[in-house]
Amino acid sequence: MFKMGRAKEIFRLRKEGRTREALELASVLHTCYPGDQWITKGLAWVLCDRLKAAVEAGEQEKVSQWAEYLTKLDIPDHDEILSKTVSRLLEKGNPEKRSFFKALDYDFHGDHQKALEIFRSLKELDYVKDAKYYEAYGWCLYKQMKNLMPRNSGNENIIPLLEEYFTLNGPKPSLLHSLVLHVIIHLFRGNATDLYHWFNRWGPSGFREEDYLGYEKEGELMPALFEKLVQTLGKAILNGGDRDLVSWIQPFLDEALSRYGKNIWLFYYKARMLLETGHAKEAEDFIIPVVRQKKSEFWVWALLGDIYSGRNKEWAISCYGMALLCPSEEKYLINTRYSFGKLLHQAGFDQEARTEIDLSLKVR
């Protein structure tokens, strides 16, 4: 009971801020009763206070003094809070690791550029080559990329940060890695070649289970990361006209279609790709669901006309006619009018054909 009462006295003095008295009492009691866990814990907490104050004040001599004292204590394993506190403070007290914690502090307060300068300076040192370092460095890079994106600073300022991210040995799959893919999609959404390049560097096997699921953001249902990627890639590839990429994306597109059956854009891209690779009959199966939902849009009728043009010219003429009846600016109808005119000519309607082709050429 005597030892327990004196141990409580250590904690009381510490709570009142009388750390010098608490330290003196704890040191004497620990010398007398080195095996008492409560006295050891009381002394450890007081030493933690002293070490923390010395670290914050930059007093290296005292940091070394208190850190050495702490490391000699036999702290009970079952006290996780104390063990983690001691471990963290000893890390902060290590002069070699102080720069790392300074980088964390800069990053936490939003000065990612200063944090990155420190992370870079530590990159070649063995003592920071662990998961915590790489993860912190990666998050800092991601936050700096996010900072630059709204400023319209141009991809040339963000790409070096992206390159830097891929030099790190961070955890994959992970939330951070998935968020980096969001950045890649945003930066290269209009360029199929760049999207293909960066997605392959990111790693097609880097998806988490959560990346296949949609989520809610500010009351709005957002597409899954995998769905967003495939849709962005599909649009960019079709606009770029790269036949090799059309073949490459097919397994991803088929998987997305099986998962997200209500996304008509995936059906539309699949139909166009099948048509462009000479599979018009198969393309018909994928365009029909789009026609049902977008029957007032010229582009869906125009694609259906393209699909039928090699097999049923009458149906194709009807589809092109429907496309031209839909509201649209003339500049978007150039190719449709030209295709329509060619079929009208083949069907013997030369005057009507000439009208459509002349309109197409005039606008072009």
Side-chain angles (χ1 to χ4, degrees), residues 94-152:
N94 185 332
E96 294 181 330
K97 293 219 173 174
R98 193 168 308 138
S99 293
F100 174 63
F101 285 100
K102 192 169 186 179
L104 292 180
D105 189 58
Y106 277 132
D107 186 44
F108 178 77
H109 289 96
D111 196 339
H112 310 304
Q113 186 58 45
K114 281 189 178 178
L116 285 173
E117 289 171 7
I118 297 174
F119 282 128
R120 289 165 186 151
S121 71
L122 299 174
K123 198 171 184 181
E124 300 305 317
L125 303 177
D126 289 336
Y127 61 81
V128 291
K129 288 187 176 179
D130 56 31
K132 284 192 297 185
Y133 165 72
Y134 286 118
E135 190 171 2
Y137 191 172
W139 275 106
C140 189
L141 283 167
Y142 167 72
K143 285 181 275 190
Q144 182 69 340
M145 285 187 267
K146 287 286 288 180
N147 273 355
L148 291 173
M149 281 161 59
R151 299 178 186 174
N152 298 316

Side-chain angles (χ1 to χ4, degrees), residues 253-296:
L253 185 52
D254 290 340
E255 183 178 357
L257 281 164
S258 70
R259 288 177 178 272
Y260 317 110
K262 294 182 179 179
N263 188 331
I264 62 160
W265 294 108
L266 299 177
F267 284 87
Y268 175 67
Y269 298 150
K270 181 71 175 179
R272 279 190 59 185
M273 289 180 187
L274 285 169
L275 178 63
E276 290 186 12
T277 53
H279 299 87
K281 186 169 175 45
E282 293 89 335
E284 184 181 343
D285 294 333
F286 289 93
I287 196 60
I288 295 302
V290 187
V291 174
R292 292 193 183 110
Q293 290 194 43
K294 295 287 185 180
K295 55 189 174 183
S296 63

